[in-house]
Amino acid sequence: RKVADSSEQRPWHLQTSDLTINRTQVSTRHQVRMEWGGSIIEGRELRILLRGDLLGSNGSTSNEWGPLDELELYHVDKVDLQLPKGGLLNKIDPQRLNPQGPTAEQVSAMKARLRAKCGGRFVLDFNRSTAMLQNGVRVIHELGNLPRDEFLCERITFHLQPPSKNNSQKAEAERRSLQLAGIEVHRIEAVGADSVQNFVGEKWVDVRLPTIDLTARSKRIDIDLKNQRVEFAGTLTHQDATRSAVLLQQRGNTFRSPQIEYQLPPDQIEASEQHLGWLYAAGPGELKTSTDVATLGGTMTAGESPPGGSQSSETRIRWQKSLKMKPVAENHEGLQLQWIELLGNTLIESQREGFLASE
């Protein structure tokens, strides 16, 4: 048991039985319960590796995490982590992506938890500052009374910020990262798996975020919390990986491309300015969007039905090389303009406006 540093912190506590200490390793095959900061992890068959000989004359060496080298829980029964209010959406304004969603102020007041299950191990690597769950991982994000967000993947890795004694560095880390059970997380990576003939089928990373009306399927998702950037990739990083396409669906729009990178707007930009951020899609892709067109003298609107009835109008945009989108400095009648570049045999087809083709 680690005693808390101040009255505001809860102690780190580990409970088990028949613990074996063997110089550089502490282990048990029995049930284990770890508690800290309102969070709980339960499982069995625990192994803790230490930096140096615990029983030697020189003791153990230390890094930013102290004398710990690696913590491994072979069978995971329960992962229930406490998040700060606002949870995973605390760093963004949901109404930027879904005007029908809650406001940033409402989200910041909601209690949040992260619950996870997996068929494999939980590994906390203190040398790499990472925490990993693997083999059929399911992560549920609960935020107030909102519909639950869900992540399905083969492996998920949380990149942690090592503890800092420098107050200014600590404050900056907390501002630019996610507090996961009292530990700063600056990056989250989720990966699927390619199929292996006669052994295992293809496994995807599936994301459902009903609060911002978004679903996604890809082979890898990399979320950089420090720089507020997310990358969706249809191909894993190893050599000879199977090439696939990313599928994104958000508010009636469908986006397909081998790789999609998105940069959120800066924190200081107001949602009313309609700043859409930066987007880059590499390789051949397609964007399909639907709008409602009024049939009795109404106006065309996106995402809602205009008065007097409507009929759906679909637009398809295809390209072979890349798509880029970024905001421009000028505003037009209070709206933030966006610069969009399409390269490689571009085709735009609209049921309402006709088509445009370009090389």
Side-chain angles (χ1 to χ4, degrees):
R1 174 173 178 173
K2 180 185 181 299
V3 178
D5 297 326
S6 68
S7 59
E8 296 182 356
Q9 295 177 313
R10 298 186 62 180
W12 187 83
H13 182 80
L14 187 150
Q15 183 177 355
T16 186
S17 60
D18 293 338
L19 195 65
T20 301
I21 301 176
N22 184 16
R23 292 188 178 276
T24 61
Q25 179 176 305
V26 179
S27 62
T28 179
R29 301 186 63 182
H30 295 270
Q31 196 72 19
V32 175
R33 179 183 175 92
M34 293 179 281
E35 297 181 50
W36 78 100
S39 301
I40 299 172
I41 296 180
E42 293 180 347
R44 61 189 187 279
E45 293 195 40
L46 171 72
R47 184 185 67 164
I48 301 176
L49 298 180
L50 305 173
R51 296 174 60 87
D53 190 342
L54 182 64
L55 304 178
S57 58
N58 295 328
S60 60
T61 59
S62 298
N63 58 13
E64 296 95 332
W65 298 97
L68 300 176
D69 183 63
E70 184 178 88
L71 184 151
E72 190 170 23
L73 192 62
Y74 282 87
H75 299 278
V76 181
D77 298 327
K78 178 180 181 180
V79 177
D80 185 358
L81 307 179
Q82 178 177 293
L83 300 180
K85 289 184 177 180
L88 297 178
L89 299 181
N90 189 40
K91 302 295 181 181
I92 66 173
D93 184 351
Q95 288 198 337
R96 291 188 187 277
L97 302 174
N98 181 16
Q100 282 72 47
T103 65
E105 184 178 0
Q106 291 172 330
V107 166
S108 64
M110 295 179 181
K111 293 183 178 180
R113 297 197 73 86
L114 197 71
R115 308 181 195 275
K117 292 184 178 181
C118 70
R121 302 176 296 165
F122 168 72
V123 180
L124 187 52
D125 189 327
F126 295 98
N127 291 309
R128 298 181 178 180
S129 294
T130 59
M132 180 188 69
L133 291 165
Q134 62 183 24
N135 191 6
V137 180
R138 184 187 184 207
V139 177
I140 300 296
H141 175 233
E142 298 178 354
L143 183 60
N145 295 322
L146 296 177
R148 300 188 304 178
D149 301 318
E150 185 177 29
F151 300 80
L152 303 176
C153 60
E154 183 61 16
R155 184 180 74 246
I156 188 167
T157 304
F158 299 91
H159 295 258
L160 313 176
Q161 182 70 33
S164 174
K165 296 181 180 180
N166 186 306
N167 291 332
S168 61
Q169 292 180 357
K170 184 176 181 180
E172 176 65 13
E174 291 177 353
R175 187 183 74 82
R176 302 290 291 177
S177 62
L178 168 70
Q179 289 284 315
L180 188 64
I183 300 175
E184 288 84 25
V185 179
H186 62 84
R187 182 182 163 209
I188 302 173
E189 183 181 15
V191 299
D194 289 337
S195 62
V196 178
Q197 190 174 7
N198 301 324
F199 183 66
V200 66
E202 194 171 31
K203 297 181 180 180
W204 296 88
V205 180
D206 287 310
V207 179
R208 302 180 185 91
L209 306 176
T211 303
I212 58 175
D213 195 13
L214 172 72
T215 60
R217 165 169 280 198
S218 67
K219 281 292 183 67
R220 181 173 60 88
I221 298 180
D222 194 337
I223 305 173
D224 185 342
L225 295 167
K226 277 189 175 181
N227 299 304
Q228 296 186 310
R229 182 185 296 119
V230 59
E231 177 188 352
F232 301 88
T235 305
L236 298 175
T237 56
H238 64 80
Q239 191 174 9
D240 299 325
T242 302
R243 294 183 177 274
S244 307
V246 175
L247 172 63
L248 291 182
Q249 294 177 307
Q250 205 266 334
R251 299 192 65 221
N253 302 314
T254 302
F255 203 157
R256 289 184 174 87
S257 181
Q259 181 179 351
I260 300 173
E261 298 179 28
Y262 177 65
Q263 171 81 49
L264 286 169
D267 295 337
Q268 64 269 23
I269 299 295
E270 297 294 334
S272 60
E273 295 186 35
Q274 300 297 315
H275 194 303
L276 300 180
W278 295 262
L279 184 143
Y280 174 67
E286 178 186 69
L287 173 61
K288 181 177 71 173
T289 180
S290 297
T291 57
D292 291 329
V293 181
T295 57
L296 295 177
T299 58
M300 184 176 69
T301 62
E304 61 182 12
S305 298
S310 66
Q311 61 183 16
S312 177
S313 176
E314 183 178 275
T315 300
R316 289 176 180 265
I317 304 173
R318 298 186 179 95
W319 62 92
Q320 290 298 316
K321 291 184 178 180
S322 66
L323 177 148
K324 294 181 182 179
M325 182 186 76
K326 67 178 183 179
V328 296
E330 300 84 5
N331 289 337
H332 177 69
E333 297 180 353
L335 297 178
Q336 173 72 57
L337 300 179
Q338 299 290 133
W339 177 84
I340 299 176
E341 177 189 72
L342 298 166
L343 296 178
N345 297 325
T346 302
L347 176 63
I348 302 175
E349 296 178 291
S350 172
Q351 292 179 338
R352 183 170 181 263
E353 303 294 342
F355 75 94
L356 173 67
S358 173
E359 295 184 358

